[in-house]
Amino acid sequence: MPVTIPRRAWRWYAIALIVIVLDQISKYWVSATLTYGDPVVFTPFFNFTLLHNPGAAFSFLSEAGGWQRWFFTAVAAVVSVILVVWLARVAEKRYEALALALILGGAIGNLYDRLMLGHVVDFIVVHYKDHYWPAFNIADSAITVGAALLILDMLLGKDKRHD
């Protein structure tokens, strides 16, 4: 039985693809341009620093010995498949679909890194004096914005989500 993807879903898949492309271009540029671990300062609280993260978000399990690469790869692959299906089912719900598209694009962007490199390329560093937020990338940003939109959409109520 063939799977039919609603026409409106394709716009959301295109947004996910844009996130993937922007993420990979930025990671390629940073990897080709910056020296590993050497910050390029933009403001007193923001810099680019090329870093490799073999763990999950915020370097969770980055020192786990290697098994985490395949674990997080499998998790990201399963989640991506679920998001593709979920997105097709909610293509008419603008905010929910946008949120899922951003999360899907970010998940696939980082999944690609894990498969091809064995780690995720991070480079955006935000800090205040000596207090540093863990480094992140465009894929992480898309996932975070998508998750925030999804939560906001859930909080707005059922009648507000069908615009």
Side-chain angles (χ1 to χ4, degrees):
M1 180 173 180
V3 176
T4 305
I5 297 174
R7 172 177 277 168
R8 194 156 183 165
W10 289 106
R11 118 170 57 161
W12 306 117
Y13 295 137
I15 289 172
L17 181 62
I18 290 167
V19 169
I20 295 164
V21 169
L22 290 175
D23 177 63
Q24 290 302 306
I25 288 171
S26 68
K27 290 173 180 175
Y28 175 82
W29 176 78
V30 165
S31 295
T33 306
L34 300 183
T35 302
Y36 187 87
D38 188 19
V40 175
V41 178
F42 290 100
T43 70
F45 57 88
F46 170 75
N47 68 59
F48 280 176
T49 306
L50 174 61
L51 299 168
H52 297 158
N53 178 5
F58 310 118
S59 297
F60 176 67
L61 293 178
S62 63
E63 303 294 326
W67 64 267
Q68 74 277 23
R69 172 187 181 186
W70 302 111
F71 174 73
F72 292 128
T73 297
V75 169
V78 169
V79 167
S80 295
V81 169
I82 291 168
L83 288 170
V84 166
V85 173
W86 186 1
L87 195 50
R89 292 182 178 176
V90 299
E92 300 298 322
K93 300 176 184 176
R94 183 184 320 167
Y95 297 116
E96 185 175 358
L98 175 59
L100 295 174
L102 292 172
I103 295 168
L104 177 62
I108 292 174
N110 283 340
L111 173 61
Y112 180 85
D113 281 12
R114 283 189 203 291
L115 286 171
M116 296 293 133
L117 307 172
H119 58 263
V120 173
V121 175
D122 288 331
F123 61 92
I124 302 169
V125 178
V126 177
H127 61 91
Y128 178 72
K129 295 185 181 178
D130 291 331
H131 304 284
Y132 284 79
W133 187 258
F136 57 98
N137 56 45
I138 290 175
D140 297 333
S141 300
I143 292 168
T144 301
V145 170
L149 280 174
L150 198 57
I151 292 167
L152 185 62
D153 183 56
M154 285 188 245
L155 294 175
L156 289 177
K158 191 174 186 175
D159 57 335
K160 299 280 186 188
R161 290 187 282 177
H162 297 280
D163 51 343

